[in-house]
């Protein structure tokens, strides 16, 4: 099998990118038509000879279409057209709806082959991306040699391309050829997250921002999008694509960034996609690896029956691990067989459980030593969980110099602050070279801080200064939360109520029973009153406590 990469500009109607020729005399090119629609074109012998000066045997070739970085093949396009969905709306959300179209789902193990033009370093990098799936899902892959072992069923074929594209899901074979292409550039190969992104598409994953409910979470600004890619921002019905009941995920590897397909005529600060909640703007578009919910999409689609009958008591939002049914897969930041522990540091000596006080204390990224030159390293992780001792809220503030790597205002390294009442929920991510010095306040008495630097491209020193974060208990007058009853008065210095006579308790809620000590003597009856009592004496006694005996004098005796 012979494959080569070339670039041509031969016709006014197409910009030709990838040209591939194989033993079956198939010719394929990545093209952009006059209207901006990108395609993978396949040519017959006459067409190929006229365009490329090659002599090939005739083939009846199909024409799959490309939308953004995802190839949609002819059968799917025809199916969508039959249902009345325009071609410019053939788009995506979640993972492929395998219930409606089971043929798109791969059987395990998924077989794959490399182009002979790949170097050993290329193949090692792609295998690292494949391992990312195998470590977190039940998906398994098997490398093959189709020359020594011809295949009858579809397999993945990795080869060089002028862009990074793939079919979505297992595509229908074209012209009796069993391989399904994944095109990768050198940049995609050398970035684990980008390689995983493209492989995810071939396994059936669509871009998250094409979900039907996306307008509840993001705003698309088509005026800022290049004309050839406007169709990449449309949505499609869940009849074809499945969210599997999972929430909208800003942290997904499959989400566009705020500058994806941005027109160079748009204002510098303009976005193609803006998050409804501005705190998530720098989160969308990460390319470091699969998120917790990306992984769960694959496990629900491919591994649902792997652990039937197992029900480990997963904590902190975890779920059963299809690779070990007695353990749980955890949200980022948590670890342990049942997700009961804080995630330990990786290649770092910071992180852990901390207790806040009324004095401001500090945490820093690994190696932070402002104002001296010191920097964090790639592939470091640290997680902190900070609690207050008496249910007080906590406030945090970034201090001194700040610098965490970003690309086009998207965090590829980040500091994440989880300040909500549910510490498994995604928090705001901070990156680039500027950060607010305002205070951020927790909703409860504990917070989490996550520092992640897993993006694989080289980072300049000024982009890896790191951070210093101060944290402290919010010192408020306790009487703001204390209501004294029965006329009591709150004392701030004591944090409790000073009660009027006759009442007691931390809120003066209990009336004192003055009769409890039996103050009435000589069979007198005690009547309890507020802040006092009275005695109802027998006829022989009188006095406050019935302690004076009445002496009767017979006047006749005197």
């Amino acid at each position: 099998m012979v494959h080569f990469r070339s670039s041509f500009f031969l016709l006014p109607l197409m910009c030709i990118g990838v040209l591939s020729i194989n033993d079956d005399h198939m010719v394929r090119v990545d093209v952009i038509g006059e209207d901006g629609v990108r395609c993978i074109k396949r040519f017959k012998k006459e067409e190929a000879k006229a365009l490329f000066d090659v002599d090939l045997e005739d083939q009846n070739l199909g024409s799959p279409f490309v939308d953004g970085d995802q190839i949609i093949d002819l059968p799917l396009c025809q199916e969508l057209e039959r249902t009345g969905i325009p071609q410019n709306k053939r788009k995506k959300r979640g993972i492929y709806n395998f219930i409606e179209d089971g043929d798109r789902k791969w059987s395990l193990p998924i077989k794959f082959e490399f182009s002979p033009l790949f170097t050993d370093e290329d193949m090692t990098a792609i295998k690292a991306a494949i391992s990312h799936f195998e470590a977190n899902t039940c998906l398994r892959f098997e490398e093959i040699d189709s020359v020594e072992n011809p295949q009858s069923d579809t397999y993945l074929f990795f080869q060089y391309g002028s862009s990074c594209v793939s079919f979505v899901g297992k595509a229908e074979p074209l012209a009796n050829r069993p391989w399904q292409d994944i095109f990768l550039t050198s940049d995609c190969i050398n970035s684990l997250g980008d390689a995983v992104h493209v492989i995810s598409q071939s396994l059936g994953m669509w871009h998250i921002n094409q979900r039907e409910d996306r307008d509840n979470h993001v705003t698309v600004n088509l005026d800022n999008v290049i004309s050839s890619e406007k169709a990449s921002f449309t949505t499609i019905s869940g009849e074809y694509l499945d969210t599997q009941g999972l929430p909208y995920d800003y942290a997904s590897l499959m989400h566009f960034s705020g500058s994806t397909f941005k027109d160079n005529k748009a204002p510098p600060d303009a976005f193609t996609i803006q998050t409804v909640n501005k705190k998530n703007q720098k989160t969308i578009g990460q390319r470091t690896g699969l998120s917790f919910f990306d992984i769960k999409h694959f496990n629900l689609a491919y591994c649902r029956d792997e652990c039937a009958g197992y029900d480990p008591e997963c904590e902190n939002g975890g779920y059963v691990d299809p690779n070990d049914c007695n353990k749980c897969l955890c949200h980022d930041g948590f670890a342990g067989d049942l997700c009961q522990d804080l995630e330990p540091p990786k290649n770092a000596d910071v992180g852990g459980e901390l207790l806040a006080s009324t004095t401001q204390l500090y945490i820093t990224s690994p190696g932070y030593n402002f104002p001296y030159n010191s920097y964090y390293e790639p592939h470091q992780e640290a997680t902190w969980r900070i609690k207050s001792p008496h249910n007080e809220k906590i406030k945090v503030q970034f201090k001194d110099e700040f610098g965490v790597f970003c690309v086009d205002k998207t965090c590829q390294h980040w500091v994440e602050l989880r300040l909500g009442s549910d510490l498994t929920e995604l928090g705001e991510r901070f990156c680039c070279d500027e950060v607010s010095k305002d205070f951020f306040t927790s909703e409860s008495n504990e917070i989490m801080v996550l520092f992640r630097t897993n993006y694989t491209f080289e980072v300049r020193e000024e982009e890896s200064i790191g951070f210093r974060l101060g944290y402290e208990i919010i010192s408020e007058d306790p009487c703001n939360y204390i209501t004294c009853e029965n006329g009591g008065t709150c004392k701030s210095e004591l944090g409790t109520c000073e009660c009027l006579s006759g009442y007691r308790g931390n809120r003066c809620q209990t009336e004192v029973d003055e009769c409890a000590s039996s103050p009435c003597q000589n069979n007198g009856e005690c009547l309890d009153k507020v802040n006092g009592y009275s005695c109802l004496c027998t006829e022989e006694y009188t006095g406050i406590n019935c302690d004076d005996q009445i002496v009767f004098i017979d006047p006749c005796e005197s």
Side-chain angles (χ1 to χ4, degrees):
M1 186 177 296
V2 179
H3 297 262
F4 63 91
R5 178 184 180 190
S6 183
S7 296
F8 300 86
F9 295 88
L10 300 179
L11 296 177
L13 297 186
M14 51 180 65
C15 166
I16 302 173
V18 181
L19 170 63
S20 301
I21 302 176
N22 56 56
D23 291 339
D24 290 332
H25 297 170
M26 307 289 293
V27 180
R28 296 166 297 130
V29 291
D30 185 358
V31 302
I32 300 179
E34 184 179 35
D35 59 356
V37 177
R38 293 173 55 193
C39 306
I40 299 292
K41 285 289 186 182
R42 288 171 168 75
F43 294 93
K44 297 180 181 180
K45 182 180 70 173
E46 295 83 0
E47 297 171 325
K49 184 173 182 178
L51 289 173
F52 313 117
D53 194 26
V54 292
D55 188 12
L56 300 173
E57 295 180 4
D58 195 0
Q59 289 285 344
N60 181 20
L61 306 176
S63 299
F65 297 92
V66 173
D67 211 353
D69 60 351
Q70 298 173 321
I71 304 174
I72 300 177
D73 58 6
L74 187 59
L76 175 58
C77 290
Q78 292 171 337
E79 177 185 359
L80 295 178
E81 288 168 359
R82 285 196 300 271
T83 63
I85 300 174
Q87 282 193 24
N88 67 348
K89 291 186 179 292
R90 55 181 188 275
K91 265 300 179 176
K92 322 109 184 174
R93 72 182 187 119
I95 201 166
Y96 213 99
N97 194 334
F98 294 133
I99 296 175
E100 296 293 332
D101 192 353
D103 291 339
R104 294 278 172 172
K105 184 176 180 179
W106 293 87
S107 299
L108 303 184
I110 300 168
K111 297 180 179 181
F112 70 94
E113 186 175 29
F114 292 117
S115 163
L117 294 184
F118 278 139
T119 65
D120 290 342
E121 290 78 10
D122 292 333
M123 291 185 286
T124 297
I126 296 171
K127 287 179 180 179
I130 289 173
S131 295
H132 189 58
F133 290 95
E134 294 187 331
N136 293 288
T137 72
C138 70
L139 293 172
R140 294 296 181 266
F141 296 77
E142 178 185 340
E143 185 176 2
I144 63 167
D145 184 332
S146 62
V147 175
E148 292 186 3
N149 297 292
Q151 302 293 309
S152 58
D153 196 12
T154 306
Y155 62 91
L156 293 174
F157 184 75
F158 291 93
Q159 63 173 306
Y160 287 119
S162 63
S163 58
C164 305
V165 294
S166 71
F167 288 90
V168 180
K170 183 180 180 181
E172 182 176 316
L174 296 170
N176 299 316
R177 45 185 293 278
W179 64 89
Q180 176 173 319
D181 295 308
I182 295 183
F183 295 100
L184 297 173
T185 67
S186 295
D187 284 346
C188 282
I189 292 171
N190 293 319
S191 168
L192 183 139
D194 287 316
V196 171
H197 179 100
V198 180
I199 296 172
S200 293
Q201 293 169 177
S202 70
L203 300 180
M205 183 74 82
W206 303 84
H207 289 130
I208 297 301
N209 45 279
Q210 270 74 37
R211 288 171 56 131
E212 286 182 303
D213 64 347
R214 68 97 182 274
D215 290 339
N216 297 329
H217 307 279
V218 298
T219 299
V220 174
N221 304 310
L222 287 178
D223 289 343
N224 299 327
V225 178
I226 56 179
S227 59
S228 61
E229 294 295 347
K230 291 184 185 294
S232 297
F233 291 82
T234 56
T235 60
I236 193 171
S237 167
E239 179 182 354
Y240 297 96
L241 300 147
D242 190 4
T243 63
Q244 303 187 103
L246 298 181
Y248 193 93
D249 184 15
Y250 292 110
S252 172
L253 183 72
M254 306 306 294
H255 203 298
F256 285 178
S257 74
S259 60
T260 298
F261 299 130
K262 181 178 176 179
D263 193 326
N264 57 16
K265 297 178 183 178
D269 294 333
F271 293 109
T272 55
I273 290 185
Q274 287 179 284
T275 58
V276 172
N277 189 331
K278 292 182 179 179
K279 74 175 186 178
N280 295 310
Q281 186 64 47
K282 290 183 177 180
T283 299
I284 58 174
Q286 68 85 6
R287 292 295 179 265
T288 65
L290 297 170
S291 71
F292 174 82
F293 287 115
D294 289 336
I295 293 168
K296 195 167 185 177
H297 267 298
F298 284 116
N299 282 329
L300 288 175
Y302 282 93
C303 317
R304 192 181 294 269
D305 299 327
E306 290 293 317
C307 292
Y310 289 84
D311 188 21
E313 296 181 356
C314 302
E315 301 179 21
N316 295 306
Y319 65 97
V320 62
D321 183 350
N323 287 329
D324 187 339
C325 298
N326 292 307
K327 296 182 179 180
C328 304
L329 284 174
C330 309
H331 278 277
D332 189 20
F334 294 93
D337 289 351
L338 302 177
C339 306
Q340 75 278 14
D341 299 325
L342 193 69
E343 189 171 352
K346 173 185 173 184
N347 301 324
D349 57 358
V350 295
E353 305 271 4
L354 300 172
L355 192 65
S357 72
T358 54
T359 301
Q360 190 173 68
L361 303 173
Y362 302 94
I363 60 174
T364 65
S365 54
Y368 189 89
N369 192 26
F370 177 81
Y372 305 102
N373 292 332
S374 57
Y375 310 96
Y376 67 79
E377 300 291 335
H379 305 293
Q380 290 183 311
E381 296 184 3
T383 305
W384 296 263
R385 180 161 52 192
I386 305 172
K387 297 182 180 181
S388 65
H390 302 296
N391 292 321
E392 304 95 337
K393 292 183 178 180
I394 300 170
K395 62 181 181 180
V396 298
Q397 181 186 37
F398 286 103
K399 312 288 286 189
D400 303 324
E401 195 75 12
F402 180 91
V404 176
F405 178 63
C406 68
V407 176
D408 294 331
K409 301 179 183 178
T410 292
C411 295
Q412 300 300 347
H413 296 170
W414 59 80
V415 186
E416 181 180 334
L417 298 184
R418 295 186 185 172
L419 305 176
S421 56
D422 183 353
L423 294 182
T424 67
E425 290 186 356
L426 180 70
E428 183 172 2
R429 291 180 177 177
F430 298 86
C431 59
C432 303
D433 56 1
E434 294 183 359
V435 69
S436 171
K437 297 300 177 67
D438 292 338
F439 279 101
F440 299 89
T441 303
S442 69
E443 294 181 4
S444 68
N445 71 320
E446 60 179 345
I447 67 171
M448 284 181 66
V449 182
L450 291 78
F451 182 61
R452 301 290 186 264
T453 68
N454 292 318
Y455 195 66
T456 53
F457 275 133
E458 183 177 350
V459 180
R460 296 189 300 270
E461 287 186 344
E462 61 268 25
E463 297 174 312
S464 57
I465 294 170
F467 75 95
R468 184 172 183 244
L469 185 75
Y471 63 94
E472 61 187 289
I473 292 171
I474 297 178
S475 299
E476 296 184 9
D477 186 346
C479 290
N480 291 338
Y481 309 99
I482 295 175
T483 301
C484 301
E485 301 178 19
N486 298 310
T489 303
C490 183
K491 297 297 182 181
S492 298
E493 66 275 13
L494 300 175
T496 188
C497 296
E498 186 177 83
C499 303
L500 296 175
S501 296
Y503 296 94
R504 60 183 175 82
N506 61 350
R507 300 293 184 267
C508 305
Q509 72 275 19
T510 303
E511 182 182 347
V512 175
D513 183 4
E514 281 84 4
C515 292
S517 61
S518 302
C520 300
Q521 302 178 26
N522 299 306
N523 296 318
E525 181 182 353
C526 183
L527 303 177
D528 184 37
K529 298 180 179 180
V530 175
N531 194 27
Y533 65 93
S534 65
C535 293
L536 182 62
C537 303
T538 63
E539 60 182 13
E540 294 89 0
Y541 292 89
T542 189
I544 295 176
N545 295 319
C546 303
D547 53 353
D548 291 332
Q549 186 176 12
I550 300 175
V551 178
F552 294 95
I553 301 176
D554 187 348
C556 295
E557 292 182 356
S558 59

